[in-house]
PDB file of all heavy atoms in Angstrom:
ATOM      1  N   GLU I  43      26.993  46.574  39.697  1.00  0.00           N
ATOM      2  CA  GLU I  43      25.557  46.851  39.832  1.00  0.00           C
ATOM      3  C   GLU I  43      25.067  46.183  41.108  1.00  0.00           C
ATOM      4  O   GLU I  43      25.616  45.168  41.536  1.00  0.00           O
ATOM      5  CB  GLU I  43      24.807  46.278  38.628  1.00  0.00           C
ATOM      6  CG  GLU I  43      25.026  47.086  37.375  1.00  0.00           C
ATOM      7  CD  GLU I  43      24.252  46.499  36.210  1.00  0.00           C
ATOM      8  OE1 GLU I  43      23.019  46.545  36.226  1.00  0.00           O
ATOM      9  OE2 GLU I  43      24.898  45.988  35.295  1.00  0.00           O
ATOM     10  N   CYS I  44      24.060  46.742  41.725  1.00  0.00           N
ATOM     11  CA  CYS I  44      23.489  46.076  42.896  1.00  0.00           C
ATOM     12  C   CYS I  44      21.972  45.989  42.777  1.00  0.00           C
ATOM     13  O   CYS I  44      21.362  46.655  41.950  1.00  0.00           O
ATOM     14  CB  CYS I  44      23.891  46.739  44.189  1.00  0.00           C
ATOM     15  SG  CYS I  44      24.367  48.428  44.074  1.00  0.00           S
ATOM     16  N   THR I  45      21.429  45.133  43.607  1.00  0.00           N
ATOM     17  CA  THR I  45      20.015  44.814  43.502  1.00  0.00           C
ATOM     18  C   THR I  45      19.315  45.048  44.826  1.00  0.00           C
ATOM     19  O   THR I  45      19.795  44.551  45.856  1.00  0.00           O
ATOM     20  CB  THR I  45      19.850  43.295  43.262  1.00  0.00           C
ATOM     21  OG1 THR I  45      20.753  42.926  42.276  1.00  0.00           O
ATOM     22  CG2 THR I  45      18.455  42.922  42.924  1.00  0.00           C
ATOM     23  N   PRO I  46      18.173  45.733  44.822  1.00  0.00           N
ATOM     24  CA  PRO I  46      17.393  45.786  46.063  1.00  0.00           C
ATOM     25  C   PRO I  46      16.669  44.453  46.255  1.00  0.00           C
ATOM     26  O   PRO I  46      16.169  43.875  45.297  1.00  0.00           O
ATOM     27  CB  PRO I  46      16.397  46.927  45.799  1.00  0.00           C
ATOM     28  CG  PRO I  46      16.334  47.076  44.327  1.00  0.00           C
ATOM     29  CD  PRO I  46      17.573  46.482  43.731  1.00  0.00           C
ATOM     30  N   LEU I  47      16.668  43.940  47.470  1.00  0.00           N
ATOM     31  CA  LEU I  47      16.010  42.645  47.746  1.00  0.00           C
ATOM     32  C   LEU I  47      14.829  42.918  48.681  1.00  0.00           C
ATOM     33  O   LEU I  47      14.974  42.881  49.908  1.00  0.00           O
ATOM     34  CB  LEU I  47      16.995  41.671  48.406  1.00  0.00           C
ATOM     35  CG  LEU I  47      18.319  41.434  47.681  1.00  0.00           C
ATOM     36  CD1 LEU I  47      19.267  40.621  48.540  1.00  0.00           C
ATOM     37  CD2 LEU I  47      18.077  40.722  46.359  1.00  0.00           C
ATOM     38  N   TYR I  48      13.695  43.236  48.100  1.00  0.00           N
ATOM     39  CA  TYR I  48      12.551  43.660  48.921  1.00  0.00           C
ATOM     40  C   TYR I  48      12.020  42.550  49.824  1.00  0.00           C
ATOM     41  O   TYR I  48      11.380  42.813  50.829  1.00  0.00           O
ATOM     42  CB  TYR I  48      11.430  44.204  48.025  1.00  0.00           C
ATOM     43  CG  TYR I  48      11.835  45.476  47.316  1.00  0.00           C
ATOM     44  CD1 TYR I  48      12.098  45.482  45.953  1.00  0.00           C
ATOM     45  CD2 TYR I  48      11.981  46.664  48.033  1.00  0.00           C
ATOM     46  CE1 TYR I  48      12.504  46.642  45.310  1.00  0.00           C
ATOM     47  CE2 TYR I  48      12.391  47.822  47.400  1.00  0.00           C
ATOM     48  CZ  TYR I  48      12.644  47.808  46.041  1.00  0.00           C
ATOM     49  OH  TYR I  48      13.052  48.950  45.415  1.00  0.00           O
ATOM     50  N   ASP I  49      12.275  41.266  49.436  1.00  0.00           N
ATOM     51  CA  ASP I  49      11.721  40.158  50.223  1.00  0.00           C
ATOM     52  C   ASP I  49      12.497  39.890  51.510  1.00  0.00           C
ATOM     53  O   ASP I  49      12.042  39.168  52.375  1.00  0.00           O
ATOM     54  CB  ASP I  49      11.788  38.850  49.407  1.00  0.00           C
ATOM     55  CG  ASP I  49      11.031  38.965  48.115  1.00  0.00           C
ATOM     56  OD1 ASP I  49       9.982  39.598  48.128  1.00  0.00           O
ATOM     57  OD2 ASP I  49      11.500  38.431  47.097  1.00  0.00           O
ATOM     58  N   ILE I  50      13.707  40.409  51.584  1.00  0.00           N
ATOM     59  CA  ILE I  50      14.571  40.029  52.707  1.00  0.00           C
ATOM     60  C   ILE I  50      14.397  41.028  53.862  1.00  0.00           C
ATOM     61  O   ILE I  50      14.527  42.240  53.653  1.00  0.00           O
ATOM     62  CB  ILE I  50      16.059  40.034  52.261  1.00  0.00           C
ATOM     63  CG1 ILE I  50      16.227  39.232  50.968  1.00  0.00           C
ATOM     64  CG2 ILE I  50      16.983  39.561  53.370  1.00  0.00           C
ATOM     65  CD1 ILE I  50      16.303  37.762  51.096  1.00  0.00           C
ATOM     66  N   PRO I  51      14.110  40.538  55.057  1.00  0.00           N
ATOM     67  CA  PRO I  51      13.919  41.470  56.180  1.00  0.00           C
ATOM     68  C   PRO I  51      15.233  42.177  56.554  1.00  0.00           C
ATOM     69  O   PRO I  51      16.305  41.586  56.462  1.00  0.00           O
ATOM     70  CB  PRO I  51      13.443  40.560  57.320  1.00  0.00           C
ATOM     71  CG  PRO I  51      13.786  39.175  56.913  1.00  0.00           C
ATOM     72  CD  PRO I  51      13.905  39.124  55.431  1.00  0.00           C
ATOM     73  N   VAL I  52      15.107  43.456  56.924  1.00  0.00           N
ATOM     74  CA  VAL I  52      16.287  44.227  57.345  1.00  0.00           C
ATOM     75  C   VAL I  52      16.638  43.816  58.775  1.00  0.00           C
ATOM     76  O   VAL I  52      15.814  43.921  59.679  1.00  0.00           O
ATOM     77  CB  VAL I  52      15.977  45.748  57.273  1.00  0.00           C
ATOM     78  CG1 VAL I  52      17.122  46.564  57.867  1.00  0.00           C
ATOM     79  CG2 VAL I  52      15.704  46.160  55.830  1.00  0.00           C
ATOM     80  N   LYS I  53      17.858  43.302  58.939  1.00  0.00           N
ATOM     81  CA  LYS I  53      18.291  42.840  60.277  1.00  0.00           C
ATOM     82  C   LYS I  53      19.656  43.422  60.592  1.00  0.00           C
ATOM     83  O   LYS I  53      20.314  43.973  59.687  1.00  0.00           O
ATOM     84  CB  LYS I  53      18.436  41.308  60.260  1.00  0.00           C
ATOM     85  CG  LYS I  53      17.164  40.541  60.108  1.00  0.00           C
ATOM     86  CD  LYS I  53      17.515  39.069  60.168  1.00  0.00           C
ATOM     87  CE  LYS I  53      16.346  38.199  59.781  1.00  0.00           C
ATOM     88  NZ  LYS I  53      16.776  36.851  59.447  1.00  0.00           N
ATOM     89  N   LYS I  54      20.085  43.225  61.822  1.00  0.00           N
ATOM     90  CA  LYS I  54      21.433  43.660  62.212  1.00  0.00           C
ATOM     91  C   LYS I  54      22.463  42.983  61.289  1.00  0.00           C
ATOM     92  O   LYS I  54      22.357  41.788  60.996  1.00  0.00           O
ATOM     93  CB  LYS I  54      21.675  43.233  63.665  1.00  0.00           C
ATOM     94  CG  LYS I  54      22.982  43.684  64.206  1.00  0.00           C
ATOM     95  CD  LYS I  54      23.120  43.291  65.656  1.00  0.00           C
ATOM     96  CE  LYS I  54      24.593  43.490  66.046  1.00  0.00           C
ATOM     97  NZ  LYS I  54      24.942  42.879  67.274  1.00  0.00           N
TER      98      LYS I  54
END
Side-chain angles (χ1 to χ4, degrees):
E43 286 181 68
C44 23
T45 314
L47 306 172
Y48 294 108
D49 301 322
I50 310 279
V52 173
K53 292 182 190 163
K54 183 177 167 194

